[in-house]
Amino acid sequence: TRPKPTNPLSTVKKVSVTTGAILAGASEEDVRALDTYALDVGLAFQVADDILDVTASSEDLGKTAGKDEAVMKTTYPKLLGLEESKEEAKRLVDEAVKALEPYGDKAQALLGIADYIIARKN
């Protein structure tokens, strides 16, 4: 597998999710699966946030839309284009969900978070 880029949010999610697992006595395999989930969900959140910055209104976002472009921030839509960014967010969420497949219904809360990441409107 290719190395995953990280961002502050994916790192925070990783620490939160994996620390809870470690403290609960999870196996190394479980911690690795949760690590994959957290990094993918964190990155998907960033991609979705970048997409919303160019597609949603300030009213919908509750913050200034287009702010990233105004400050010439490097974003996923700027690098990949809007459609490819949407595909990347979906791919990341699919990867996160796949990492949790072995846990079935036990992972429902985490799966719900993953689905929300790319369905959110603000």
Side-chain angles (χ1 to χ4, degrees):
T1 60
R2 63 188 163 99
K4 292 184 189 301
T6 60
N7 64 7
L9 181 61
S10 62
T11 302
V12 168
K13 286 191 180 304
K14 173 184 170 178
V15 169
S16 300
V17 171
T18 58
T19 299
I22 291 166
L23 292 174
S27 70
E28 284 185 40
E29 184 180 338
D30 290 336
V31 172
R32 275 193 302 276
L34 289 166
D35 180 73
T36 296
Y37 164 84
L39 287 175
D40 286 337
V41 164
L43 287 171
F45 184 93
Q46 184 61 58
V47 176
D49 197 60
D50 289 354
I51 292 167
L52 287 171
D53 190 66
V54 297
T55 61
S57 68
S58 295
E59 183 180 349
D60 289 339
L61 289 177
K63 63 181 184 179
T64 306
K67 183 174 60 172
D68 293 343
E69 184 66 31
V71 296
M72 296 172 44
K73 181 179 172 185
T74 301
T75 64
Y76 280 87
K78 190 174 196 176
L79 292 173
L80 303 176
L82 187 57
E83 288 309 310
E84 276 193 57
S85 295
K86 289 177 182 179
E87 290 171 13
E88 178 66 2
K90 175 79 169 95
R91 185 193 67 75
L92 288 163
V93 167
D94 288 347
E95 220 174 85
V97 167
K98 184 178 179 186
L100 299 181
E101 278 179 357
Y103 308 103
D105 289 342
K106 293 178 187 176
Q108 270 317 114
L110 294 175
L111 294 171
I113 292 168
D115 289 338
Y116 168 75
I117 294 300
I118 56 175
R120 66 193 179 95
K121 303 296 180 204
N122 60 11

